[in-house]
Amino acid sequence: MSRTYRFTFGPWNISQGADPFGPTVRPNLEFAVKLREYKKLGFDGVQLHDDDVVPADWTADRTRKGVADVKKMLADEGLFAEFIAPRLWEDPRTIDGAYTSNSAEDRKYAIDRSKRAVDIANMLGTRDIVLWLAREGTYIREAKDPITASQRILDAVNALLEYDKNIRILGEMKPNEPMDQAYLPTPGHFLALCYRTVDPARSGVLIESAHSILAGLDPSDDMAYTLWHKKLWSVHLNDQNGLKYDQDKAFGSVDLRRAFNTVWVLERANYDGCVGLDVKAMRTTKIEHQTKHLANSRAVFLRLVDVARSIDAAKVESLRGARDYEELELYVMEKLIGR
Ligand code: 3MF
Ligand code: MG
């Protein structure tokens, strides 16, 4: 029996089209309105930042009530919450980084806010906490001590694993942007850290295609290596046209063969995490088309699942055995062309 995949995305993937050089070009959609789109687009669950759920400065009491409201909204739409990610890159106290800030007070803020994200996750019924370490890095190498920074990231992950004995931590690594150089720039770096935490069994990875590409790596090999460690617990599929700003293009839209290899490796490994899509609509996209990039990415994923399932494994093995990679390449290309 073929497996079915569960699809997720975060509300930030329905966006207003602002870029560093120009303002928004589409109106803001209320969270509740976005939630109503999920099922229509074929999605099953929602990825959330802590402040996608409730504002970060609410009191504990107000937070509890606010989260309960969101829990009901999700249930009414038949959706589940996949993960909570503390948004540690917008508050003034995270300007110099969160866990690796040079200010002890600001580091404490980052840990406290992350623990609050764990509380929100518990209230929403998910155990997964995603850490995109956006500002853990430097603009100039001399700004921070990188050895101290590595320890501070480990201490922060440990603090969360100890704060709640049920949660899992998923590192979402990215080599640059907004920082010039990020600490732990690739999934491999975070994997090494996983084994040094107080609970390696609850420490794993979310891999985003564009982040691997920005690091000069192939997403399918990054995923394969992490799957081999049994630590690929979520993905952010998208695409990226070379080494430039983070583009979050629709899945498969730049390099269909790279996307195919991503899907094929997930299929072969019986990947059972959610298929998250972290994709951005083009700034030129009209209001009435502002969710097409999500539906299209999902459709391309499913088409590539069909292609992966149509691959003749015995033929691949025999071509590998004969070292006939020219023929193997043509075989894959013809599958992709549709022959
Ligand atoms: C940045 C990202 C982030 C994370 C998100 C959830 C805003 O390149 O990929 O998107 O995916 O914060 O962890
Ligand atoms: Mg992402």
Side-chain angles (χ1 to χ4, degrees):
M1 251 288 281
S2 293
R3 296 167 309 119
T4 54
Y5 286 95
R6 290 170 303 154
F7 292 92
T8 57
F9 69 86
W12 65 90
N13 288 290
I14 303 177
S15 63
Q16 297 177 261
D19 70 16
F21 302 98
T24 60
V25 288
R26 293 181 292 269
N28 182 36
L29 290 194
E30 292 294 321
F31 181 58
V33 175
K34 289 185 181 178
L35 287 187
R36 285 203 284 278
E37 295 296 314
Y38 275 73
K39 282 281 167 179
K40 283 191 256 172
L41 295 166
F43 286 77
D44 311 290
V46 187
Q47 307 184 327
L48 295 152
H49 295 115
D50 54 351
D51 59 2
D52 288 324
V53 184
V54 283
D57 57 359
W58 279 11
T59 61
D61 197 39
R62 206 167 164 205
T63 296
R64 230 180 344 267
K65 289 187 191 118
V67 177
D69 289 344
V70 170
K71 191 174 183 180
K72 185 170 182 314
M73 285 162 74
L74 292 177
D76 288 349
E77 297 294 336
L79 299 166
F80 65 91
E82 185 195 346
F83 66 65
I84 301 294
R87 201 193 301 264
L88 297 172
W89 53 90
E90 286 187 359
D91 190 275
R93 286 163 288 189
T94 59
I95 284 176
D96 191 29
Y99 308 140
T100 65
S101 168
N102 282 323
S103 151
E105 214 177 304
D106 291 350
R107 290 198 301 275
K108 183 176 179 316
Y109 166 76
I111 302 268
D112 289 346
R113 177 148 175 188
S114 305
K115 288 181 178 169
R116 186 173 166 278
V118 171
D119 297 340
I120 293 172
N122 270 316
M123 291 183 247
L124 281 182
T126 175
R127 59 188 295 237
D128 285 355
I129 304 296
V130 167
L131 299 179
W132 171 45
L133 301 179
R135 298 197 188 277
E136 315 299 3
T138 51
Y139 301 111
I140 61 165
R141 298 300 79 68
E142 302 85 358
K144 291 177 187 170
D145 180 308
I147 296 177
T148 305
S150 307
Q151 185 63 44
R152 283 181 173 157
I153 294 171
L154 178 63
D155 290 345
V157 171
N158 280 339
L160 298 180
L161 290 169
E162 272 167 348
Y163 177 68
D164 184 311
K165 294 281 159 40
N166 183 46
I167 57 144
R168 302 195 301 181
I169 299 290
L170 287 68
E172 178 183 349
M173 311 331 284
K174 180 178 178 182
N176 57 273
E177 201 192 304
M179 305 315 294
D180 174 52
Q181 296 281 351
Y183 294 133
L184 309 183
T186 69
H189 288 85
F190 197 80
L191 277 174
L193 185 118
C194 287
Y195 291 108
R196 295 211 32 197
T197 66
V198 291
D199 197 350
R202 291 189 291 128
S203 311
V205 170
L206 177 156
I207 293 183
E208 171 161 331
S209 323
H211 296 180
S212 292
I213 298 163
L214 286 170
L217 300 170
D218 184 88
S220 70
D221 273 356
D222 255 357
M223 288 179 196
Y225 183 59
T226 309
L227 285 161
W228 178 70
H229 284 273
K230 304 212 177 323
K231 289 196 176 297
L232 186 64
W233 297 340
S234 189
V235 292
H236 269 170
L237 302 184
N238 53 22
D239 215 339
Q240 169 76 29
N241 197 9
L243 303 185
K244 53 182 86 168
Y245 64 94
D246 182 9
Q247 296 186 298
D248 297 338
K249 283 165 130 5
F251 182 56
S253 62
V254 176
D255 188 332
L256 197 57
R257 186 167 168 191
R258 182 166 61 196
F260 160 73
N261 276 297
T262 301
V263 173
W264 197 25
V265 85
L266 295 175
E267 267 285 299
R268 278 175 300 171
N270 286 316
Y271 170 73
D272 62 0
C274 292
V275 176
L277 291 160
D278 199 358
V279 288
K280 200 178 267 147
M282 297 173 223
R283 192 164 188 266
T284 43
T285 300
K286 293 179 179 174
I287 299 160
E288 60 269 35
H289 305 145
Q290 64 182 326
T291 56
K292 270 194 176 176
H293 60 303
L294 288 156
N296 294 353
S297 293
R298 178 181 173 277
V300 167
F301 180 91
L302 288 171
R303 286 288 295 273
L304 290 174
V305 169
D306 288 344
V307 175
R309 288 178 185 169
S310 79
I311 294 281
D312 180 347
K315 179 169 176 147
V316 171
E317 269 322 303
S318 119
L319 291 170
R320 284 175 180 171
R323 215 173 71 198
D324 193 352
Y325 305 143
E326 305 289 354
E327 194 62 32
L328 178 56
E329 176 160 74
L330 184 67
Y331 177 60
V332 170
M333 305 263 278
E334 286 193 331
K335 285 281 179 191
L336 291 173
I337 292 165
R339 279 241 295 242

